[in-house]
Amino acid sequence: MRLRYLVWFVRALFCSALIFSPAAMGAQEEKVSLNFVNADIDEVIKAVSHITGHNFLIDPRVKGTINIVSSTPIPTSLAYDILLSALRLQGFASVESGGVTKVLPEADAKLYIGASSDTHGSGDKLVTRVYVLKYESATQLVPILRPLIAPNNIVTAYPNSNALVVTDYASNLKRIEQIVESIDQPSAEAPIMIPVKLVSAVELAQTINRLMLDGGAASTGGTDASQRFVLTTDTRTNSLLLRTDNPARIARVRELVEKLDIETGVPGNMHVVYLKNAEATRVAQTLRAVMSGDTSTPVAASASPGAATASGASGTFAASSAAPTGGGIVQADVASNSLIITAPAAIYNNLRAVIEQLDVRRAQVYVEALIVEVEADKAAQFGVQWQALGGVNGSGAQIVGGTNFGTSGNIIGAAASLNSLGQGLNIGIANGTITLPGSTTPILNLGMLANALETDTKSNILSTPNLLTLDNEEAKIIVGQNVPFITGSYAQTGSTATATPFQTIERKDVGLTLRIKPQVSEGGSIKLQIYQEVSSVDATTLTSAAGVTTNKRSLESIVLVNDGQIIVLGGLIQDSVSDTKTKVPLLGDIPWLGNLFRYDSRKRTKTDLMVFLRPYILRTAENSHGLTQSRYEYLRGEQQESQMPPSTMLPTLPAPVVPPLELKQELSMPVMSAPKNP
């Protein structure tokens, strides 16, 4: 095989020698015949390099054979292009840089195109070109061009300058350039501005949209460009903005505007404006304040349905302030959440523009609070107590006594009942039982009691209260108990001899409380007014005569945080150590021996409490639905995992599970009940 390749190579060299010989030199370009059948790529590149004078750099991964057959001699200038085409068919590409042609796999060739490469080459050279678009979007053009470019080559969009960056073969880029030029054309009809002089452009746009679009949609889309229709308003100039490719629709809109933009002849026009998002009562207060020039803060209480109603009304209309001096009247109808405006056309047009800007969907804020409390207690106690009661029942003068340090599990209580022994290791020495004077119940004659105890307590508490509220609206969540606190008591005797006790009780919430009021800025930051409290009842004071005692940790602050950012609001890091020694004087100070007359107790308490906060801004209904779906599915998964495992001896009692969230999209929500036991 190698010998056959050598023969082909020598034949090619011989042909080229004949062509370049002085006898063959003429006025026309030299020609050469290329005939390679299953020839090794390296040998073919060497032959073409010798013929054309091009220098090649071959990647070690370039392997295989090539078939090139020319029935008639071809000019030597075409030999190089034919070689590049043959390499492209085998999955290899060439990149020219610094007078050297690099041959490497097509997938890696785009990484070796230098800044000095010819971007206007031809044939099967791999080049990169940038197309700057003037009218169309480069991002939307990428999916159209992607199927027309080799899979190993790239096409990407740069939105900042609305440009396309394409790396492909020079021959294919000519076709891409023609396609880009054909698509990047100005629209047949630029947006048209139609001024409105006498009526409100906002209301006029709504009327025309309902007529032209069969339902009032803002725009329609389809494959037919002539059916596109977009009609919106510019409230600043009280004008209509129209964009469509159908001349008949443009003429129709102009005709409608001309017929509807006329004087009504009534000095005071009455209009009803239905609000979609804002609250009619508050918007009416704002408009009246603007029209009258009142700079005082409007009262938000009138926004409630229970606010005072206008004189002579039956509760439908909200209370009205003094009549504005601007020549118009604005009234709110709470039942339909609408505004009733009586004003001349010029004033009404201005008010309508303001209403459109106020009646927008308010952002919501979802707040996650993380309250992490880690507590570790270590305690150790050791002590020895003595007592001598042997001579209690003897006649005459006797000596009794002992040591008692008043700790839990003291020797006197242990002698009366073994149930009163303290926790831990207890070792005692007893000598029968004795009966104390004046008592008929014998007790244990306990001479010595040693007690040793060591405790190690750790607790890790994580609370994650969540709240969802509107922008600039306060929200509150309480998770805990409503505990009664005695505030007073007295005995009421009256005419009876027996006193009747009477107590006054005040109930307070004890547990976890979170209260927030967010304010969203246009830049994406959130100002939060926060009050957070964690309280609990001290179990050691439940039987106290003075009443129970509560442990309370609260935080009140105003912070500024970005959307989705976690911040720490505050915390407590407490580390306390106590060392208590109870001993018999003198005897307790004796080295080693003093441990028998001493009671030692040591305790260390370490508390770490941190409060974190993370808010999310929900501006659209899709954001709210996504958040609800994630929390709903999480709860449903927890319920499914809490099902009882199957048992051969016990019946299966399935726990209730909420239905999938998709079922909630129906108007009637199914009943959340436990499945029946099979």
Side-chain angles (χ1 to χ4, degrees):
M1 180 64 80
R2 299 289 295 180
L3 181 59
R4 186 191 307 171
Y5 292 159
L6 183 60
V7 171
W8 289 335
F9 179 66
V10 172
R11 183 185 302 171
L13 292 179
F14 178 74
C15 294
S16 61
L18 291 178
I19 293 174
F20 284 98
S21 61
M25 297 293 268
Q28 61 182 2
E29 184 179 358
E30 296 80 359
K31 296 184 178 181
V32 63
S33 296
L34 299 178
N35 292 286
F36 298 99
V37 180
N38 293 331
D40 189 75
I41 291 179
D42 292 341
E43 301 298 337
V44 176
I45 293 177
K46 291 179 181 178
V48 174
S49 175
H50 182 80
I51 295 172
T52 62
H54 284 80
N55 299 320
F56 291 89
L57 183 62
I58 306 174
D59 190 280
R61 293 171 292 178
V62 178
K63 301 293 183 182
T65 58
I66 292 180
N67 295 319
I68 301 177
V69 178
S70 60
S71 58
T72 59
I74 60 174
T76 56
S77 59
L78 295 179
Y80 178 71
D81 294 335
I82 292 176
L83 173 63
L84 298 186
S85 300
L87 291 175
R88 178 180 176 181
L89 295 177
Q90 299 296 324
F92 304 116
S94 62
V95 178
E96 294 185 1
S97 177
V100 176
T101 302
K102 301 177 183 178
V103 181
L104 63 163
E106 187 181 58
D108 298 336
K110 56 181 173 292
L111 304 177
Y112 293 88
I113 301 177
S116 60
S117 298
D118 182 14
T119 59
H120 302 283
S122 59
D124 293 310
K125 298 178 183 178
L126 202 62
V127 296
T128 299
R129 292 182 185 173
V130 178
Y131 302 97
V132 180
L133 306 184
K134 298 180 180 179
Y135 306 103
E136 297 297 330
S137 170
T139 304
Q140 296 180 359
L141 204 58
V142 170
I144 300 176
L145 299 179
R146 179 68 269 180
L148 305 178
I149 297 175
N152 291 326
N153 296 332
I154 61 172
V155 53
T156 184
Y158 183 62
N160 290 348
S161 59
N162 195 34
L164 284 172
V165 181
V166 183
T167 297
D168 202 6
Y169 296 99
S171 58
N172 191 42
L173 287 181
K174 294 181 179 179
R175 181 180 61 160
I176 298 298
E177 184 176 358
Q178 295 176 355
I179 295 175
V180 171
E181 290 179 354
S182 301
I183 296 178
D184 188 28
Q185 297 292 332
S187 177
E189 290 291 341
I192 299 174
M193 182 175 179
I194 305 176
V196 180
K197 301 178 181 178
L198 302 176
V199 300
S200 171
V202 176
E203 290 190 346
L204 196 58
Q206 293 177 353
T207 303
I208 296 177
N209 275 323
R210 284 194 294 267
L211 291 174
M212 304 292 291
L213 303 178
D214 297 330
S219 62
T220 59
T223 56
D224 188 0
S226 63
Q227 300 302 317
R228 290 199 299 261
F229 180 84
V230 179
L231 180 64
T232 185
T233 61
D234 179 25
T235 56
R236 184 179 60 86
T237 59
N238 195 43
S239 303
L240 296 176
L241 300 178
L242 173 63
R243 181 174 183 180
T244 179
D245 294 332
N246 191 333
R249 287 185 176 234
I250 298 176
R252 180 60 176 164
V253 171
R254 290 185 181 275
E255 181 182 358
L256 289 174
V257 172
E258 184 178 353
K259 293 181 178 181
L260 296 176
D261 187 19
I262 58 176
E263 287 278 6
T264 60
V266 181
N269 296 328
M270 183 174 292
H271 307 270
V272 178
V273 181
Y274 293 94
L275 303 183
K276 299 178 181 178
N277 302 287
E279 192 172 350
T281 313
R282 295 187 178 183
V283 175
Q285 288 180 342
T286 302
L287 295 179
R288 285 195 293 263
V290 172
M291 295 171 62
S292 62
D294 184 8
T295 58
S296 61
T297 303
V299 181
S302 62
S304 62
T309 57
S311 175
S314 59
T316 303
F317 299 102
S320 174
S321 62
T325 60
I329 300 175
V330 180
Q331 189 70 40
D333 179 38
V334 179
S336 61
N337 193 39
S338 60
L339 296 174
I340 302 175
I341 302 176
T342 303
I347 297 178
Y348 172 72
N349 292 340
N350 293 334
L351 293 179
R352 197 67 174 86
V354 174
I355 293 173
E356 285 297 317
Q357 299 183 40
L358 295 179
D359 187 25
V360 295
R361 180 186 177 92
R362 294 173 63 185
Q364 299 184 93
V365 179
Y366 178 77
V367 179
E368 290 181 336
L370 290 83
I371 305 171
V372 186
E373 183 174 359
V374 180
E375 186 173 352
D377 294 343
K378 290 186 178 182
Q381 52 187 0
F382 177 79
V384 179
Q385 303 174 64
W386 302 88
Q387 77 175 2
L389 301 176
V392 170
N393 296 326
S395 59
Q398 301 292 334
I399 298 177
V400 296
T403 60
N404 186 354
F405 300 114
T407 60
S408 65
N410 59 75
I411 193 170
I412 295 179
S417 174
L418 292 178
N419 293 331
S420 62
L421 286 175
Q423 297 179 348
L425 177 63
N426 294 276
I427 300 176
I429 299 176
N431 184 16
T433 60
I434 60 174
T435 303
L436 295 176
S439 175
T440 60
T441 303
I443 65 173
L444 187 65
N445 186 11
L446 188 61
M448 186 272 292
L449 176 64
N451 173 253
L453 175 65
E454 182 175 349
T455 60
D456 190 354
T457 305
K458 295 182 179 180
S459 62
N460 185 359
I461 303 174
L462 174 64
S463 302
T464 57
N466 302 329
L467 273 178
L468 178 64
T469 181
L470 278 174
D471 182 22
N472 278 323
E473 297 292 342
E474 184 178 290
K476 180 180 181 181
I477 183 174
I478 299 177
V479 181
Q481 296 177 322
N482 193 257
V483 180
F485 291 86
I486 300 175
T487 58
S489 64
Y490 61 92
Q492 182 180 5
T493 58
S495 60
T496 61
T498 304
T500 304
F502 183 86
Q503 293 180 336
T504 58
I505 295 176
E506 179 184 1
R507 290 187 171 271
K508 296 182 179 180
D509 295 326
V510 176
L512 189 147
T513 302
L514 176 63
R515 186 169 65 245
I516 62 170
K517 183 178 181 181
Q519 182 180 0
V520 180
S521 66
E522 289 299 327
S525 60
I526 309 171
K527 179 183 178 182
L528 289 172
Q529 299 181 16
I530 307 164
Y531 177 78
Q532 185 270 328
E533 176 184 310
V534 178
S535 58
S536 61
V537 176
D538 190 351
T540 61
T541 63
L542 292 176
T543 59
S544 175
V548 297
T549 303
T550 57
N551 303 318
K552 180 179 177 181
R553 299 184 179 95
S554 64
L555 182 148
E556 186 171 3
S557 178
I558 301 177
V559 298
L560 188 66
V561 59
N562 292 331
D563 182 17
Q565 178 187 1
I566 298 179
I567 62 170
V568 58
L569 297 181
L572 169 68
I573 300 178
Q574 182 178 359
D575 195 351
S576 61
V577 178
S578 62
D579 187 5
T580 305
K581 292 183 179 181
T582 306
K583 62 183 178 179
V584 177
L586 298 179
L587 294 179
D589 297 329
I590 301 175
W592 298 102
L593 185 62
N595 291 327
L596 301 177
F597 302 94
R598 188 169 62 215
Y599 199 96
D600 297 336
S601 176
R602 294 180 178 178
K603 184 177 181 180
R604 178 177 181 177
T605 303
K606 186 175 182 180
T607 303
D608 295 333
L609 174 65
M610 286 292 171
V611 180
F612 300 90
L613 194 106
R614 176 168 55 185
Y616 296 96
I617 301 177
L618 308 178
R619 297 187 182 274
T620 62
E622 290 76 12
N623 297 143
S624 302
H625 177 71
L627 176 65
T628 302
Q629 184 176 18
S630 63
R631 299 300 187 269
Y632 190 90
E633 294 299 334
Y634 168 77
L635 178 61
R636 189 168 184 269
E638 291 294 320
Q639 288 183 328
Q640 291 175 342
E641 292 182 0
S642 64
Q643 298 291 330
M644 298 180 183
S647 175
T648 56
M649 304 298 296
L650 299 176
T652 302
L653 300 176
V657 179
V658 297
L661 187 61
E662 288 73 18
L663 298 180
K664 295 174 67 64
Q665 305 301 327
E666 303 294 336
L667 293 179
S668 58
M669 178 179 174
V671 178
M672 299 182 184
S673 59
K676 296 182 179 180
N677 186 18

